[in-house]
Amino acid sequence: MQKCQDSYYATFTSYPMMLDYHREQTKNSQWKKSQVKLLGVEPLDRSSPLFTDLSAFAAGTSQEAVQDTACNLGLAMRVDGELYPVRMTAYKSLLDRAKIGGTALPKLPRKILAETLNACLQLYSSDALVLIRDEKISAVHSGDTVDYSVLPIDELIETLKRKLDARFPDNEFDTGYCDHSLTGAAWRMPKQKDDLLGTYSRMLAAQGKTKLADKLIPGVRFITSDTGIASAKVSALLVGGAHPIHIGGCISVDHRHGTKISDFEKELDQLFAQFGKSIGQLQNLLNIQLDYPINAMTRICKKFSMPKKAALEAIAMFEMAIGSSGATAHDVFMAMQEIPFILKTENTPEAKMLTIEENMARALTINWKEYDLAKAVTY
């Protein structure tokens, strides 16, 4: 798959591999400032004259990039006199610069959509900050640092690794992922298992959950985006099962207000200090006995907007496992982890998966007894 294609993604099995990739990406990315009113949008569908005129585009633009754009967003944009295909990831930020929106816009023929965007863009003299990456425009951010601040992904990764090495020696890189909208990575800390999970593991073993206690390892997940869909975040995880378990303790640094890499570094200290608190919240669920665990699970899944099909499948699996007996809030929380596992097997987009996992982690802080009701609930 060509890197210019909107559907391109990469996975990484080692930290050096991921860091090298993002160093190269940072080196080859262009950030261009332009007044919004000087941006010019043109149609780039298969009926457009641009589709067969590669010479109209900026140097380095391939026919593959043009053809892929025609199959996706179907727009090109001129920045500083140079024309580039526009990636799907830039669509929302482009609408933001034009200060328009609505579900009707994507249904318009590309020629009319381009004319509509141009008419609106020309009304504004504010600056835009355009990200050009892998032959296409990937984002059209505000050019005001109050609204958008560039945080190079390779520098974020290096900062996180340095802090991990200092706080959790002998940490291990688990997985890495990157597409045109999102970058993510996870580390595990096996040497800190006794320190961070000791009490929790002993409580699990006391309740007959020795297998679960043996396989869980503390970890962290990092995600960020240059295209506006996510801030720079690091979250506490438990890894070792079928799917990582998000346990909250998230720190987040927005790409706004002139933020710098040093701000991200300071926030990491806060996350590491709160790691034990996140484990404590999970541990407390072992002491909450539920009389109607299926009803509680259904209400909680509904409250946190879990995808209906996957949630109902997970609820049915849990009901088969426990029958009519009671269960702890911890049992329900672990049963809910089947939802992201199911979604992963269905190739759910990574950005959606992360949102679902973050929402699920909020269940650690709710009053579970409020959901433990005899009256059944429909999803």
Side-chain angles (χ1 to χ4, degrees):
M1 186 185 300
Q2 300 284 335
K3 285 181 73 175
C4 65
Q5 292 179 307
D6 280 19
S7 58
Y8 175 84
Y9 69 92
T11 57
F12 309 99
T13 56
S14 73
Y15 170 72
M17 184 191 303
M18 184 169 186
L19 181 59
D20 287 347
Y21 177 94
H22 285 288
R23 280 176 172 166
E24 189 69 17
Q25 184 187 72
T26 296
K27 184 172 71 174
N28 294 327
S29 297
Q30 300 179 65
W31 293 91
K32 289 192 174 185
K33 260 197 178 181
S34 171
Q35 281 189 298
V36 171
K37 66 182 181 182
L38 298 181
L39 300 174
V41 181
E42 299 184 31
L44 182 53
D45 53 12
R46 291 183 176 275
S47 64
S48 165
L50 290 175
F51 184 71
T52 54
D53 185 10
L54 191 60
S55 65
F57 292 91
T61 305
S62 65
Q63 191 64 51
E64 288 81 7
V66 171
Q67 291 174 347
D68 185 67
T69 302
C71 294
N72 287 286
L73 186 58
L75 295 175
M77 193 168 78
R78 198 171 296 279
V79 185
D80 289 344
E82 300 265 43
L83 188 66
Y84 302 88
V86 181
R87 198 180 305 286
M88 280 295 301
T89 58
Y91 180 62
K92 183 181 182 303
S93 55
L94 179 57
L95 293 184
D96 289 344
R97 302 290 72 75
K99 301 189 188 304
I100 57 175
T103 56
L105 290 173
K107 301 174 185 177
L108 294 174
R110 298 298 94 167
K111 184 175 185 298
I112 296 175
L113 177 58
E115 290 171 351
T116 303
L117 284 163
N118 284 330
C120 295
L121 290 169
Q122 289 167 17
L123 299 175
Y124 304 105
S125 59
S126 55
D127 284 339
L129 182 64
V130 180
L131 170 60
I132 302 166
R133 176 176 287 162
D134 296 324
E135 304 181 44
K136 295 187 183 185
I137 290 174
S138 293
V140 190
H141 297 301
S142 167
D144 189 335
T145 56
V146 171
D147 296 321
Y148 192 82
S149 306
V150 177
L151 295 172
I153 294 176
D154 58 330
E155 293 184 33
L156 290 169
I157 294 171
E158 287 182 286
T159 300
L160 174 56
K161 184 64 167 72
R162 186 170 62 251
K163 298 292 281 189
L164 279 172
D165 289 345
R167 178 65 178 83
F168 303 114
D170 300 317
N171 60 82
E172 299 173 358
F173 184 85
D174 191 12
T175 58
Y177 172 87
C178 177
D179 59 29
H180 285 300
S181 63
L182 190 78
T183 290
W187 280 261
R188 57 177 67 207
M189 293 94 75
K191 295 294 180 66
Q192 284 74 35
K193 176 168 180 170
D194 288 342
D195 182 33
L196 293 172
L197 304 185
T199 303
Y200 173 58
S201 295
R202 288 188 289 274
M203 289 182 69
L204 283 174
Q207 293 190 8
K209 299 177 173 67
T210 306
K211 286 185 179 179
L212 181 62
D214 289 343
K215 70 182 181 182
L216 292 180
I217 298 170
V220 297
R221 173 188 285 142
F222 162 78
I223 65 167
T224 193
S225 170
D226 282 339
T227 60
I229 68 164
S231 55
K233 298 181 181 179
V234 183
S235 324
L237 293 181
L238 292 181
V239 298
H243 193 80
I245 301 171
H246 193 299
I247 58 171
C250 177
I251 64 102
S252 177
V253 175
D254 290 332
H255 293 252
R256 301 186 66 190
H257 305 296
T259 52
K260 299 179 175 61
I261 298 296
S262 57
D263 298 310
F264 176 69
E265 187 170 8
K266 290 175 186 174
E267 288 296 316
L268 286 174
D269 290 328
Q270 179 182 330
L271 171 72
F272 297 157
Q274 291 180 349
F275 205 111
K277 180 181 177 183
S278 299
I279 297 297
Q281 290 173 332
L282 181 61
Q283 186 176 301
N284 289 340
L285 300 188
L286 289 164
N287 298 319
I288 302 174
Q289 193 68 35
L290 302 175
D291 297 320
Y292 309 100
I294 302 303
N295 293 352
M297 183 173 176
T298 305
R299 284 189 172 87
I300 290 167
C301 287
K302 190 172 182 180
K303 173 181 174 62
F304 293 117
S305 303
M306 294 295 106
K308 183 176 180 178
K309 180 176 175 291
L312 290 176
E313 187 175 339
I315 292 166
M317 291 169 63
F318 184 51
E319 187 169 18
M320 287 179 62
I322 67 166
S324 58
S325 62
T328 65
H330 186 276
D331 293 330
V332 173
F333 184 76
M334 288 299 173
M336 289 170 62
Q337 304 309 313
E338 286 293 332
I339 297 172
F341 179 72
I342 292 166
L343 294 172
K344 190 73 172 178
T345 62
E346 296 173 351
N347 298 314
T348 303
E350 199 76 13
K352 184 176 181 181
M353 290 287 297
L354 291 167
T355 300
I356 289 166
E357 290 168 21
E358 286 181 9
N359 285 343
M360 194 181 302
R362 291 161 57 199
L364 291 172
T365 61
I366 63 174
N367 182 351
W368 283 73
K369 286 298 185 181
E370 291 181 358
Y371 302 88
D372 187 29
L373 304 174
K375 184 178 179 181
V377 59
T378 55
Y379 207 100

